């Protein structure tokens, strides 16, 4: 998919040279242009959120052009999320009609969200198809080449930020969609290298199997034992400035989760190529944060490995020692995410992070509890989780906090070792997974985001049901907040 160029123009929206112009229609309001208002009066153009009507008008330079009338609901209720939804509806229509250049007359305060909704909606992953595009549709080929956001009080930085963040989210979706025979741990480390090479203040460190073991990461080592494909611990350090606390972003990147010796059933196992979604979001968010030159310090830690059964795989009952000295009984090799995160969280703490967010497709149970609408949030710190909740609201990547409690913590105590990675019974299994992780962050304020339900299979109109890149927008927003940006 070729990049769509994005620009901001502060002049009058109707002066655009785009082939398709978008006008916002709010409930209870009339359009200034009498010809367009006629469509509203006739009831053909509707103000409901996500409605799109098509008209034509004379273009300033001669000839005719398309006008899309986009419903945005009530003006006083407009927020970024609604703008993303409306932009996606418009983008879908523009694609269907064969628009090459699109210009939005942007209502106040949602310019960035309009860019996000458009770019996210037009994402496609067809690099393995011989015939590009949606072969079952009769949509015109080519697609949108440019997006303009126009308005009198436009903030060009907001438009640029929307572009950078949406591009990063789409890049995360690419990493998710790539199959595990392409996007293996070495490939992810290669992508991290590309990202680091693009920014002076980003520094990369990659640990291989031997150095992971030599560092004392017995839990990560145990998960990687079964695979012949080399694991990688990917560490990106961004030093853009000293504002706010030193942030630590940790992302689970199991490039394929078979379950290991505790083998998963075959149905839908192919979806386990998405088990690296947390790591993908962390890597691409770092690219966006560095591109935006936010004056903060962030350390990203992404443990990448396959989880495979083999003659040299970890077996149920095996006991290992994690980086922080805690011992773990591995009673289910399919509870591998918490093992690689255990060492990665401890590693981040060792490297001085002061606030942690980890993203992980950790438990099937979170899909049962929250579906694809909210990610699960778990935390040891009310203030920090409060900030993460605010960031989630602002970005439309919703999160809902679930409780931790000493009674849940008791469930992950081991019989023969300090901890059990998979307590028997399935009581509160998303929470017990979080309680397990809590053992590796010490006193550092930490939020675990379980994205098993939101990383793919969602229903948000601008991302659809495929890989979503969930988490990129929230991580960038957290870095912006740390930087003190409004
Ligand atoms: N990657 C899975 C969680 C998952 C399942 C994500 C389905 C998305 C869709 C994770 O490694 C896993 O297998 N978790 C187990 C834990 C259990 C063995 C304690 C689970 O949730 O069943
Ligand atoms: Mn698993
Ligand atoms: Zn997994």
């Amino acid at each position: 998919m070729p990049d769509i160029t994005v620009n901001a123009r502060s002049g009058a929206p109707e002066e655009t040279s785009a082939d398709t112009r978008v006008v916002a229609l709010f409930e209870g309001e009339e359009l200034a242009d009498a010809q367009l208002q006629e469509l509203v009066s006739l009831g053909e153009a509707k103000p409901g959120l996500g409605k799109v009507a098509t008209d034509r008008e004379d273009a300033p330079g001669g000839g005719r052009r398309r006008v899309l009338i986009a419903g945005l609901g009530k003006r006083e209720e407009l927020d970024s999320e609604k703008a993303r939804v409306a932009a996606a509806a418009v983008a879908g229509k523009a694609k269907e009609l064969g628009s090459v250049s699109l210009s939005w007359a942007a209502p106040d305060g949602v310019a960035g969200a309009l860019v996000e909704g458009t770019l996210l909606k037009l994402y496609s992953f067809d690099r393995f198809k011989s015939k590009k595009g949606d072969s079952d549709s009769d949509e015109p080929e080519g697609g949108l080449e440019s997006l303009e956001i126009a308005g009198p009080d436009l903030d060009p930085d907001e438009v640029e930020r929307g572009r950078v963040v949406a591009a990063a989210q789409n890049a995360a979706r690419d990493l998710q969609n790539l199959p595990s025979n392409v996007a293996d741990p070495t490939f992810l480390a290669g992508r991290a290298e590309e990202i680091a090479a693009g920014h002076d203040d980003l520094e990369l460190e990659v640990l291989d199997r031997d150095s992971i073991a030599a560092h004392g990461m017995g839990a990560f080592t145990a998960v990687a034992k079964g695979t012949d494909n080399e694991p990688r611990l990917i560490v990106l350090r961004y030093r853009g400035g000293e504002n706010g606390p030193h942030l630590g972003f940790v992302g689970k990147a199991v490039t394929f989760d078979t379950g290991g010796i505790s083998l998963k059933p075959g149905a839908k196992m192919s979806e386990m190529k998405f088990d690296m979604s947390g790591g993908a979001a962390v890597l691409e968010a770092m690219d966006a944060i560095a591109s935006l030159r936010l004056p903060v310090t962030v350390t990203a830690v992404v443990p990448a490995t396959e989880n495979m059964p083999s003659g040299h795989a970890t077996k149920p009952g095996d006991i290992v020692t994690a980086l922080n000295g805690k011992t773990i009984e591995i009673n289910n090799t399919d509870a591998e995410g918490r093992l690689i995160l255990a060492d990665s969280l401890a590693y981040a703490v060792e490297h001085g992070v002061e606030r942690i967010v980890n993203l992980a497709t950790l438990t099937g149970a979170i899909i049962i509890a929250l579906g694809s609408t909210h990610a699960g949030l778990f935390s040891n710190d009310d203030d920090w989780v409060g900030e993460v909740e605010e960031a989630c609201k602002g970005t439309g990547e919703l999160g809902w906090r679930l409780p931790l409690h000493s009674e849940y913590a008791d469930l992950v105590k081991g019989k023969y070792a300090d901890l059990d990675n998979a307590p028997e019974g399935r009581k509160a299994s998303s929470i017990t997974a979080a309680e397990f992780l809590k053992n590796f962050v010490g006193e550092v304020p930490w939020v675990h985001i379980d994205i098993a339900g939101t990383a793919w299979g969602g229903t948000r109109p601008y991302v659809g049901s495929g890989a979503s890149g969930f988490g990129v927008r929230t991580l960038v927003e957290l870095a912006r907040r740390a930087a003190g940006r409004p």
Side-chain angles (χ1 to χ4, degrees):
M1 192 178 75
D3 271 353
I4 296 169
T5 53
V6 177
N7 73 292
R9 189 171 54 80
S10 56
E14 58 280 5
E15 280 165 13
T16 183
S17 57
D19 64 36
T20 305
R21 173 166 102 86
V22 190
V23 180
L25 175 63
F26 289 100
E27 241 170 72
E29 297 184 20
E30 295 198 347
L31 294 175
D33 182 303
Q35 189 207 321
L36 297 178
Q37 173 56 30
E38 198 184 321
L39 232 59
V40 180
S41 309
L42 287 168
E44 248 176 77
K46 299 183 189 74
L49 182 66
K51 301 277 187 225
V52 185
T54 313
D55 202 354
R56 299 187 78 80
E57 67 181 3
D58 289 332
R64 304 274 287 168
R65 71 179 170 200
R66 244 173 248 120
V67 190
L68 299 180
I69 304 171
L72 282 172
K74 292 200 173 84
R75 187 182 287 272
E76 64 276 15
E77 287 175 10
L78 181 63
D79 59 15
S80 298
E81 182 61 10
K82 292 200 170 85
R84 280 180 210 103
V85 170
V90 166
K93 191 60 156 181
K95 182 171 175 231
E96 189 187 311
L97 297 171
S99 301
V100 176
S101 50
L102 190 66
S103 175
W104 257 95
D108 287 346
V110 295
L114 292 175
V115 176
E116 290 173 3
T118 308
L119 299 186
L120 293 171
K121 170 71 181 180
L122 294 177
Y123 171 81
S124 66
F125 183 78
D126 53 13
R127 70 181 70 176
F128 294 105
K129 298 264 196 197
S130 307
K131 187 176 178 298
K132 305 294 171 196
D134 184 352
S135 48
D136 296 333
S137 83
D138 48 11
E139 272 172 10
E141 287 186 30
L144 196 71
E145 287 172 13
S146 69
L147 170 67
E148 174 184 86
I149 306 292
D153 298 314
L154 212 60
D155 176 2
D157 289 349
E158 197 195 322
V159 172
E160 172 62 4
R161 192 160 69 235
R163 185 192 69 76
V164 167
V165 171
Q169 188 171 342
N170 283 341
R173 296 163 91 183
D174 272 345
L175 291 180
Q176 289 182 283
N177 281 320
L178 286 169
S180 75
N181 61 328
V182 176
D184 62 7
T186 313
F187 181 95
L188 292 184
R191 174 63 192 140
E193 203 174 316
E194 244 173 53
I195 291 171
H199 308 281
D200 286 344
D201 30 24
L202 255 186
E203 196 183 284
L204 174 70
E205 181 190 13
V206 178
L207 307 193
D208 63 8
R209 191 189 290 275
D210 288 344
S211 38
I212 291 163
H215 266 78
M217 300 188 186
F220 187 176
T221 300
V223 175
K225 248 179 92 182
T227 173
D228 296 331
N229 219 330
E230 288 299 298
R232 294 285 183 263
L233 183 81
I234 304 165
V235 184
L236 277 172
R237 293 193 183 82
Y238 172 67
R239 291 194 187 85
E242 304 283 305
N243 284 28
H246 178 176
L247 298 172
F249 294 161
V250 178
K252 171 180 173 182
V254 172
T255 58
F256 197 85
D257 182 11
T258 66
I261 296 296
S262 314
L263 194 63
K264 286 182 181 296
K268 287 204 186 178
M269 202 206 269
S270 61
E271 289 192 343
M272 283 300 117
K273 73 169 182 175
F274 293 138
D275 210 20
M276 34 58 74
S277 300
V282 167
L283 291 179
E284 300 301 340
M286 293 300 280
D287 194 19
I289 289 165
S291 296
L292 296 171
R293 303 188 146 277
L294 296 175
V296 293
T297 304
V298 189
T299 297
V301 183
V302 175
T305 182
E306 292 182 339
N307 183 24
M308 294 286 285
S310 75
H312 40 85
T314 291
K315 302 170 291 297
D318 288 359
I319 296 177
V320 298
T321 306
L323 180 60
N324 70 347
K326 295 203 181 180
T327 57
I328 305 164
E329 262 170 71
I330 302 178
N331 286 323
N332 189 326
T333 63
D334 197 12
E336 85 297 340
R338 66 198 74 184
L339 295 172
I340 65 173
L341 289 171
D343 281 333
S344 303
L345 290 166
Y347 187 85
V349 170
E350 244 184 32
H351 285 76
V353 302
E354 294 165 314
R355 297 282 186 287
I356 303 177
V357 172
N358 78 253
L359 284 173
T361 47
L362 204 62
T363 64
I366 205 71
I367 312 173
I368 310 293
L370 299 175
S372 297
T373 304
H374 290 84
L377 305 183
F378 306 82
S379 182
N380 60 356
D381 189 278
D382 291 348
D383 290 337
W384 180 228
V385 76
E387 287 205 38
V388 173
E389 283 175 316
E390 284 299 308
C392 285
K393 270 186 208 132
T395 60
E397 293 180 329
L398 302 178
W400 198 264
R401 188 181 187 185
L402 292 172
L404 299 179
H405 190 280
S406 60
E407 289 178 11
Y408 298 123
D410 288 343
L411 295 175
V412 296
K413 287 186 176 151
K415 189 166 169 198
Y416 305 101
D418 299 336
L419 295 165
D420 174 350
N421 82 323
E424 275 192 32
R426 293 159 70 202
K427 274 190 179 172
S429 65
S430 296
I431 297 178
T432 52
E435 288 286 1
F436 184 92
L437 297 181
K438 185 170 174 263
N439 285 281
F440 300 92
V441 297
E443 299 301 310
V444 180
W446 151 83
V447 175
H448 154 52
I449 309 186
D450 193 335
I451 59 169
T454 53
W456 73 94
T459 49
R460 258 339 120 67
Y462 49 90
V463 276
S465 63
S468 68
F470 188 99
V472 171
R473 299 205 302 277
T474 298
L475 293 181
V476 175
E477 180 61 20
L478 285 167
R480 270 174 48 74
R481 284 165 170 262
R485 298 291 162 87

